[in-house]
C-alpha cells in the first residue's frame, strides 16, 4: 500500500470494504460486506431527524512481529449497548459488534499502518435509526455498520503539548442529559465551541460542569487527567463519556505505583497539577502546556511547552507499548488477528 503513513492526519480515507447488518422485524440480519461508501436511506429515518445514532472509535496496530493487534474492542461493544439503551435503539449484541470489527479489519488488512510509523487503523462502528418516524419515537429498523481508515494523531502535533481554552459560555451536555453516552447530539452541541477554540489558536475546548461551572468536565473529544503527588486524578461527572483509554491509564498508573482518584476536579486545582492532559482513542494522550480561562483572565501553565512531562511520558509509552506489542500485554487488552 502506497500511503504516506507518517503524515496521515485524522481524516476520512477511502478503504476497500465496510460491513453492515440491518435490524428488522425484531432481529439482526447477517453481516454483509460492501465496498460502497453510500447507502440509500428513507427521508424520514430517525437518525436524520431526531439524532437516533451512536458511534464508536477504536484502533488496531501492527506490531514489530507484523501481527495486527486490536485494543479492547469488547469495551466498545459494551459502551455501544449502553448508548443504544440510552436513546432507545436496538442493541447490537456484543458478539455481532466484535465479529464485525474483526472482519472489517481483516478485509482491509493492507490499510493497517506498518509498525514504527506512529499510525494506526481507526475503526468507526456506527448504529443508526433507519426506520422512518415523524413523531418523536424510536425507529423500528436500525443499521449497524463499521468502516475503517488509517490515521495519524488527532491533534496535529502528536505527542506534544497543546494549549486548551476553557469554555464558560457553552455546554456540551446537560447534567442529566446524554453526555455519558456516545451519541451524535453531544458532538453537534460541541461544534461551535470547538470551532471558536480553533479560531483562537487552541487545540480544542475544555468544558466545565454545566450545573455550577466549578468542575472540569470533558476536553473536546477526550477525558481530562491531572497528575500531582504521584496521583492520577480524573473527573467524576455524570456528563462525561467513560473513556476506555482513561480506564486503561488508571490501571497502568496503579501498576506504576501511583494512586488514582476519580472525583470532581475544581477548575482552580489546575494551579496545583504538575502535569495535565487529555486521553482518548483518537487523542491517545495529549499533554497540555497551557489552559486558558479567558473569562476569569487566568492562564495555567505546565512544564516545558515543547516536552511532555515525565509521568505523562511513562503513561503514554506504556499504553502505546501494550497496543503495538512492544510491551507484554499483562492485562489481556489486545487481541491478535490472523
Ligand atoms: N470523551 C469523548 C467526548 C469522546 O468522544 C471520546 C472518544 O471516544 C473520549 C472521551 C475517549 O474515550 P475512549 O478512550 O474510549 O476513546
Ligand atoms: C475517539 O477517540 O475515538 C473519538 O470518538 C473521538 C472522535 C469524536 C474524533
Amino acid at each position: 500500500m502506497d500511503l504516506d503513513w507518517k503524515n496521515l492526519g485524522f481524516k476520512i480515507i477511502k478503504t476497500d470494504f465496510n460491513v453492515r447488518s440491518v435490524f428488522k422485524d425484531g432481529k439482526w440480519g447477517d453481516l454483509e460486506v460492501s465496498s460502497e461508501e453510500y447507502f440509500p436511506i428513507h427521508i424520514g429515518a430517525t437518525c436524520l431527524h431526531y439524532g437516533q445514532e451512536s458511534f464508536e472509535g477504536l484502533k488496531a496496530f501492527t506490531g514489530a512481529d507484523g501481527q495486527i493487534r486490536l485494543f479492547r474492542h469488547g469495551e466498545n461493544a459494551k459502551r455501544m449497548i449502553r448508548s443504544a439503551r440510552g436513546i432507545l435503539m436496538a442493541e447490537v449484541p456484543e458478539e455481532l459488534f466484535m465479529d464485525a470489527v474483526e472482519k472489517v479489519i481483516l478485509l482491509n488488512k493492507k490499510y493497517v499502518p506498518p509498525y514504527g510509523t506512529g499510525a494506526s487503523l481507526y475503526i468507526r462502528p456506527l448504529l443508526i435509526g433507519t426506520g422512518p418516524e415523524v413523531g418523536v419515537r424510536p425507529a423500528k429498523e436500525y443499521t449497524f455498520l463499521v468502516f475503517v481508515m488509517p490515521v495519524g494523531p488527532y491533534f496535529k502535533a502528536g505527542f506534544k503539548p497543546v494549549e486548551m481554552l476553557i469554555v464558560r459560555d457553552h455546554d456540551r451536555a446537560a447534567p442529566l442529559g446524554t453526555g455519558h453516552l456516545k451519541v451524535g447530539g453531544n458532538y453537534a452541541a460541541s461544534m461551535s465551541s470547538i470551532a471558536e477554540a480553533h479560531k483562537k489558536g487552541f487545540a480544542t475546548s475544555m468544558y466545565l460542569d454545566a450545573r455550577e461551572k466549578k468542575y472540569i468536565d470533558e476536553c473536546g473529544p477526550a477525558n481530562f487527567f491531572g497528575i500531582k503527588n504521584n496521583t492520577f486524578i480524573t473527573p467524576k461527572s455524570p456528563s462525561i463519556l467513560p473513556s476506555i483509554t482513561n480506564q486503561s491509564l488508571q490501571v497502568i498508573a496503579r501498576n506504576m505505583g501511583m494512586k488514582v482518584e476519580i472525583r470532581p476536579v475544581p477548575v482552580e486545582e489546575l494551579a496545583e497539577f504538575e502535569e495535565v492532559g487529555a486521553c482518548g482513542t483518537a487523542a491517545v494522550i495529549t499533554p497540555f502546556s497551557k489552559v486558558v480561562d479567558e473569562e476569569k483572565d487566568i492562564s495555567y501553565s505546565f512544564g516545558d511547552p515543547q516536552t511532555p512531562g515525565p509521568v505523562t511520558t511513562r503513561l503514554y509509552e506504556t499504553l502505546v507499548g501494550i497496543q503495538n506489542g512492544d510491551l507484554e500485554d499483562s492485562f489481556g487488552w489486545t487481541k491478535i488477528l490472523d
Side-chain angles (χ1 to χ4, degrees):
M1 194 76 237
D2 191 20
L3 278 172
D4 184 6
W5 300 111
K6 290 198 167 147
N7 295 296
L8 289 172
F10 194 87
K11 56 181 193 299
I12 297 271
I13 291 179
K14 187 177 177 342
T15 51
D16 293 344
F17 300 105
N18 56 78
V19 296
R20 305 157 179 219
S21 171
V22 172
F23 181 89
K24 207 173 169 177
D25 301 325
K27 57 179 193 301
W28 286 102
D30 292 339
L31 266 185
E32 284 170 26
V33 177
S34 172
S35 49
E36 247 316 313
E37 288 181 292
Y38 293 87
F39 76 111
I41 193 168
H42 192 286
I43 55 177
T46 60
C47 66
L48 299 177
H49 298 258
Y50 303 128
Q52 249 203 327
E53 89 88 42
S54 165
F55 70 95
E56 274 299 331
L58 62 161
K59 281 179 173 171
F61 306 82
T62 306
D65 54 8
Q67 289 184 301
I68 299 173
R69 284 172 177 77
L70 175 56
F71 188 70
R72 305 196 78 177
H73 62 325
E75 295 305 311
N76 296 88
K78 291 191 182 87
R79 189 166 65 189
M80 186 171 255
I81 289 175
R82 294 200 299 273
S83 297
R85 275 186 199 151
I87 59 168
L88 302 188
M89 297 195 289
E91 293 168 23
V92 178
E94 262 177 68
E95 210 170 83
L96 173 59
F97 182 103
M98 302 212 298
D99 282 355
V101 166
E102 291 177 26
K103 186 165 186 166
V104 77
I105 296 169
L106 293 176
L107 284 167
N108 292 289
K109 227 173 177 172
K110 66 178 189 232
Y111 294 98
V112 187
Y115 176 77
T117 55
S120 56
L121 189 76
Y122 185 68
I123 303 137
R124 176 52 71 88
L126 179 71
L127 171 63
I128 52 178
T130 35
E133 296 289 342
V134 72
V136 180
R137 65 177 76 89
K140 294 182 188 69
E141 282 179 33
Y142 293 85
T143 299
F144 169 59
L145 61 90
V146 190
F147 62 102
V148 298
M149 72 212 75
V151 298
Y154 187 75
F155 294 108
K156 261 186 252 133
F159 187 53
K160 281 268 174 63
V162 300
E163 299 189 357
M164 298 288 286
L165 178 66
I166 291 178
V167 177
R168 286 184 178 272
D169 61 351
H170 210 97
D171 293 313
R172 158 191 178 273
L176 300 176
T178 55
H180 61 300
L181 306 174
K182 203 158 169 65
V183 298
N186 298 335
Y187 297 84
S190 71
M191 281 199 191
S192 59
S193 47
I194 292 177
E196 189 66 23
H198 286 165
K199 218 162 62 190
K200 292 179 174 168
F202 294 91
T204 190
S205 44
M206 182 188 276
Y207 299 97
L208 303 183
D209 77 286
R211 200 189 298 274
E212 294 185 89
K213 294 276 186 282
K214 271 174 78 172
Y215 303 100
I216 297 173
D217 225 54
E218 270 307 12
C219 297
N223 280 183
F224 172 85
F225 69 89
I227 307 287
K228 69 173 183 189
N229 307 327
N230 198 34
T231 309
F232 178 95
I233 299 161
T234 193
K236 182 179 170 69
S237 156
S239 53
I240 64 176
L241 185 76
S243 153
I244 296 157
T245 313
N246 191 346
Q247 285 154 18
S248 308
L249 292 178
Q250 291 165 28
V251 173
I252 291 170
R254 282 201 183 92
N255 209 252
M256 278 165 39
M258 296 178 72
K259 283 185 287 219
V260 172
E261 290 177 12
I262 306 162
R263 57 159 170 85
V265 179
V267 64
E268 296 78 21
E269 197 173 345
L270 284 169
E272 296 170 19
F273 286 120
E274 295 148 17
E275 299 174 36
V276 291
C279 59
T281 297
V284 195
I285 295 183
T286 303
F288 304 157
S289 54
K290 201 185 216 185
V291 179
V292 176
D293 193 341
E294 266 186 343
E295 225 170 275
K296 300 267 170 192
D297 201 18
I298 302 176
S299 167
Y300 304 90
S301 294
F302 306 89
D304 172 359
Q306 297 304 321
T307 320
V311 178
T312 307
T313 303
R314 260 187 89 191
L315 290 169
Y316 177 87
E317 285 173 352
T318 308
L319 175 72
V320 171
I322 293 172
Q323 289 175 328
N324 66 24
D326 282 346
L327 298 179
E328 191 198 340
D329 176 21
S330 47
F331 309 114
W333 285 339
T334 55
K335 173 159 184 183
I336 294 181
L337 302 184
D338 36 35

